[in-house]
C-alpha cells in the first residue's frame, strides 16, 4: 500500500471532533496531491432534520474563492453538486457540464479550478458525501483515469466513512428495532392509508393500529406519524 494511502487509513480510524477533522483533511489533501491534484474538497450532508440538515464542508480552495462561492450562493446552482446528489457516477468537469452556469464556471477557472473530477457517496443512514479533486492545468486524460480512478474512488469511500462519524448523530436503522407489525403499518401509512383503512386491510382494530403508530413515534423520537414515515424512509427502513 502506498504511503499516502496508509497515512489516510491510520487517521481515518479515529476522526472525532474538529481537530481530528482538520488532521484527516490534511492527509486527504496530501492524497489528492499524490494523484496530481492541487485542490481537494469534501462535503457531507445529513438527511435529517429535513428543515435544517447538518453539513460539513472542507476544502483547500483559495480563501477569496471560498468567500465568493458563498456570497453568490453557488452551492445552490453548482451542476457538479446537483449531479452528485442524484448519481454515484463520477463526473469530469467540462464546458458542457457548466453550460447553464457560465458565471460560476468563469469565476472558478479564474481561481485556478479548471480541471476537476467529483464523485458522491451515500450510506445506509442517508448521509450524502461528495469528493472533488481539481487542478489549474492539464486536463484529465483517459490514460490517467484508467490508472488512478480506482484510487480516487477509494478516497471517496475512506473520506465518507471517516468524516461521517464526526458529523452524524442519527442512529443507524437497526438501532430502532421496529417490529414487523410496526413496519407494516408504517408502510401502509406511507402509502396514504388512514388508521381505519389499515385496520381493515390487516383485520385488526383501529385502536391497535393507533397503538402501534404511537409506539413507532416514540421509538423514532419524532413528533407525529408523518415525521415517522419520513425518518423511516430516509433510514431505509421501509424498503
Amino acid at each position: 500500500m502506498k504511503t499516502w494511502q496508509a497515512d489516510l487509513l491510520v487517521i481515518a480510524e479515529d476522526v472525532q471532533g474538529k481537530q481530528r477533522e482538520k488532521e484527516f483533511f490534511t492527509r486527504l489533501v496530501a492524497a489528492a496531491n499524490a494523484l496530481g491534484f492541487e485542490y481537494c474538497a469534501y462535503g457531507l450532508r445529513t438527511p435529517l432534520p429535513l428543515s435544517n440538515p447538518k453539513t460539513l464542508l472542507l476544502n483547500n480552495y483559495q480563501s477569496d474563492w471560498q468567500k465568493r462561492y458563498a456570497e453568490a450562493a453557488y452551492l445552490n446552482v453548482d451542476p457538479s453538486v446537483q449531479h452528485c446528489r442524484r448519481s454515484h457516477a463520477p463526473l469530469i468537469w467540462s464546458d458542457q457540464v457548466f453550460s447553464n452556469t457560465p458565471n460560476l464556471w468563469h469565476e472558478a477557472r479564474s481561481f485556478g479550478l479548471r480541471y476537476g473530477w467529483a464523485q458522491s457517496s451515500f450510506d445506509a443512514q442517508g448521509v450524502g458525501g461528495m469528493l472533488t479533486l481539481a487542478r489549474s492545468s492539464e486536463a484529465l486524460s483517459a490514460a490517467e483515469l484508467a490508472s488512478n480512478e480506482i484510487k480516487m474512488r477509494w478516497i471517496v469511500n475512506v473520506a465518507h466513512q471517516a468524516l461521517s462519524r464526526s458529523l452524524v448523530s442519527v442512529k443507524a436503522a437497526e438501532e430502532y428495532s421496529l417490529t414487523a407489525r410496526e413496519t407494516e403499518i408504517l408502510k401502509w401509512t406511507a402509502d396514504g392509508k388512514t388508521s381505519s383503512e389499515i385496520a381493515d386491510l390487516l383485520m385488526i382494530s383501529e385502536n391497535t393500529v393507533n397503538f402501534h403508530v404511537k409506539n413507532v413515534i416514540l421509538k423514532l423520537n419524532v413528533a407525529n406519524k408523518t415525521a415517522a414515515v419520513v425518518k423511516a424512509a430516509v433510514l431505509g427502513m421501509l424498503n
Side-chain angles (χ1 to χ4, degrees), residues 149-160:
E149 192 163 40
I150 190 171
K151 300 169 189 172
M152 292 150 70
R153 291 182 183 226
W154 180 85
I155 293 174
V156 171
N157 292 324
V158 173
H160 187 92

Side-chain angles (χ1 to χ4, degrees), residues 82-211:
Q82 293 175 357
H83 168 87
C84 287
R85 283 178 178 171
R86 64 177 183 266
S87 174
H88 285 287
L91 175 74
I92 298 174
W93 292 358
S94 68
D95 291 340
Q96 182 178 0
V97 167
F98 291 90
S99 60
N100 293 326
T101 54
N103 291 338
L104 165 59
W105 187 221
H106 173 74
E107 292 190 62
R109 290 169 68 84
S110 73
F111 283 97
L113 300 169
R114 297 186 176 89
Y115 305 99
W117 177 98
Q119 187 180 21
S120 62
S121 55
F122 300 90
D123 59 34
Q125 296 184 49
V127 178
M130 174 181 170
L131 173 73
T132 300
L133 302 173
R135 62 194 181 206
S136 59
S137 62
E138 193 175 346
L140 282 76
S141 67
E144 179 181 5
L145 290 173
S147 174
N148 289 342
E149 192 163 40
I150 190 171
K151 300 169 189 172
M152 292 150 70
R153 291 182 183 226
W154 180 85
I155 293 174
V156 171
N157 292 324
V158 173
H160 187 92
Q161 292 300 317
L163 293 172
S164 62
R165 286 197 301 269
S166 185
L167 178 70
V168 181
S169 61
V170 180
K171 292 182 181 179
E174 59 268 19
E175 292 184 46
Y176 288 106
S177 302
L178 297 186
T179 66
R181 179 63 90 186
E182 289 168 346
T183 302
E184 185 178 27
I185 289 173
L186 206 55
K187 287 181 178 181
W188 283 118
T189 302
D191 285 340
K193 301 296 184 182
T194 66
S195 294
S196 177
E197 290 171 330
I198 295 171
D200 290 341
L201 286 165
L202 301 182
M203 293 184 290
I204 57 179
S205 72
E206 187 174 351
N207 285 339
T208 299
V209 172
N210 290 332
F211 170 78

